[in-house]
Amino acid sequence: LQYNFSDRTSLNYELNYSYDDRTMGFQRGVPALNLGDNRWQLDRYPRDFSMLDPRGYSRTRAVSNQAMFSHGFTDNLKLNVLLRSMHTKQRQFDVSPGDFSIGAVNDSILMENRLWRPDYAAYQSTSYLTWDLTTGPVRHQLVGGLDLTSDGRRYVYATVASQRVSLLNQDFSWATYDGSPAGLAQDPYASQVRERTLLGAAYVQDQITFSEQWKALVGGRLERHYYHNRYQNPATGEVTDRDTLRALVFSPRAGVVFQPSQHVSLYASYTQGFQPQYGSNRGAGGPFAPERSRQYE
């Protein structure tokens, strides 16, 4: 939907809904039969062999909203504000091979009944000004803005049951789960995780035109990240572990272009980037600084 308040001011709104329903399973290929003493029969089962529970499923619902507001103060000065939200909910149930590395033994393999339930939510705000101006013979295209983002997810993961299954007479009737905390309590490795990431950033950029032949670009972005997570026992709610990360990084960029003709451009550019390391990994000497990158072109 779009509403135009005037020639200079407009509001645009988008709504997206999706539903994805698919069969689910992780079959890492066709197993070999383990004969012992490091001997294997590779062609015991046909290449189109399947050992997946046909009841396995993955169902995902996603809803996103986006609103964009634009206002031109003058022909050369314009404001844009973007607001966005997204919510997804997934429910996954499958029966898949467990320790695949040992192969099939006596025509059977260990199968695991897995549960995966992630819920994700994200909120984003982006506001930026564009300003075209002239200083003497030099033209500038200035861009400055702010980014604010909050996103996180909450998920439960568990292997609620495991059993050796005959590959010649497959039976998955033992793989059931009723969704109760008691079912999760049976799995010592079950976990409920809550994660949240907060991002705040400010940036400015100037694209400069000195002449028809010479152009340059300079800019920089300052970002601050905050991340935290919490692990809980899904049956009791007890917090078993938690972690946090903070990062503050400035990333510059610069470039220059020379156009001796309309058909030829010579350019050079320099950019820096970074990737926060989510999880402080204190047991290995962390927390660690963000990974950094430099690009010359």
Side-chain angles (χ1 to χ4, degrees):
L1 299 173
Q2 179 168 305
Y3 183 75
N4 297 318
F5 297 92
S6 68
D7 293 341
R8 294 184 181 273
T9 308
S10 65
L11 177 65
N12 179 283
Y13 171 73
E14 293 184 16
L15 170 66
N16 291 276
Y17 172 81
S18 67
Y19 176 66
D20 184 298
D21 187 355
R22 65 181 68 191
T23 57
M24 197 64 212
F26 295 102
Q27 178 163 305
R28 308 182 185 96
V30 178
L33 182 64
N34 191 336
L35 302 177
D37 298 325
N38 201 27
R39 294 180 298 117
W40 304 83
Q41 183 179 345
L42 304 182
D43 59 353
R44 172 67 173 177
Y45 313 104
R47 284 177 291 180
D48 60 354
F49 180 79
S50 174
M51 51 184 174
L52 299 178
D53 185 350
R55 301 170 303 162
Y57 64 85
S58 173
R59 299 172 184 143
T60 305
R61 285 182 170 85
V63 179
S64 66
N65 296 269
Q66 177 175 296
M68 168 69 85
F69 174 78
S70 299
H71 175 68
F73 297 99
T74 67
D75 292 340
N76 298 326
L77 181 61
K78 187 176 182 180
L79 171 67
N80 293 279
V81 179
L82 172 68
L83 302 175
R84 178 185 294 139
S85 69
M86 173 177 284
H87 296 81
T88 63
K89 183 184 291 290
Q90 182 182 3
R91 296 294 179 262
Q92 180 176 313
F93 172 91
D94 70 87
V95 179
S96 301
D99 189 355
F100 200 82
S101 62
I102 64 174
V105 179
N106 297 326
D107 286 318
S108 68
I109 198 167
L110 178 67
M111 304 292 282
E112 295 180 344
N113 178 194
R114 300 191 184 100
L115 175 77
W116 169 246
R117 291 189 166 186
D119 295 334
Y120 175 79
Y123 306 91
Q124 178 186 4
S125 170
T126 297
S127 304
Y128 61 95
L129 277 168
T130 59
W131 187 20
D132 296 337
L133 71 155
T134 301
T135 56
V138 179
R139 299 198 308 270
H140 300 265
Q141 290 180 303
L142 286 167
V143 179
L146 298 172
D147 290 340
L148 298 173
T149 301
S150 173
D151 67 85
R153 62 176 180 165
R154 177 180 61 185
Y155 63 89
V156 174
Y157 174 82
T159 301
V160 295
S162 61
Q163 183 170 307
R164 294 204 70 83
V165 173
S166 169
L167 296 179
L168 303 181
N169 184 23
Q170 299 183 41
D171 177 18
F172 298 103
S173 60
W174 55 273
T176 60
Y177 178 64
D178 60 6
S180 67
L184 291 176
Q186 298 173 10
D187 177 23
Y189 302 105
S191 61
Q192 176 174 305
V193 184
R194 296 174 183 265
E195 298 177 329
R196 175 65 61 185
T197 300
L198 302 176
L199 162 68
Y203 60 91
V204 63
Q205 174 182 289
D206 187 8
Q207 181 174 312
I208 309 167
T209 301
F210 297 99
S211 66
E212 292 299 321
Q213 287 76 37
W214 287 97
K215 299 176 176 65
L217 182 142
V218 292
R221 179 181 175 92
L222 181 66
E223 292 192 28
R224 183 173 185 85
H225 284 252
Y226 174 72
Y227 166 82
H228 68 91
N229 63 31
R230 182 175 64 188
Y231 290 79
Q232 294 177 276
N233 184 314
T236 65
E238 176 189 2
V239 176
T240 58
D241 196 8
R242 63 177 71 239
D243 200 0
T244 60
L245 174 142
R246 292 178 174 85
L248 178 65
V249 176
F250 176 74
S251 302
R253 62 183 306 196
V256 62
V257 176
F258 173 59
Q259 294 178 283
S261 71
Q262 291 183 344
H263 307 290
V264 177
S265 294
L266 306 176
Y267 72 94
S269 70
Y270 171 77
T271 305
Q272 287 187 10
F274 81 103
Q275 173 66 46
Q277 299 199 46
Y278 295 110
S280 59
N281 197 10
R282 300 180 189 279
F288 299 104
E291 297 179 355
R292 295 176 179 267
S293 65
R294 292 181 175 86
Q295 176 178 296
Y296 305 88
E297 188 171 339

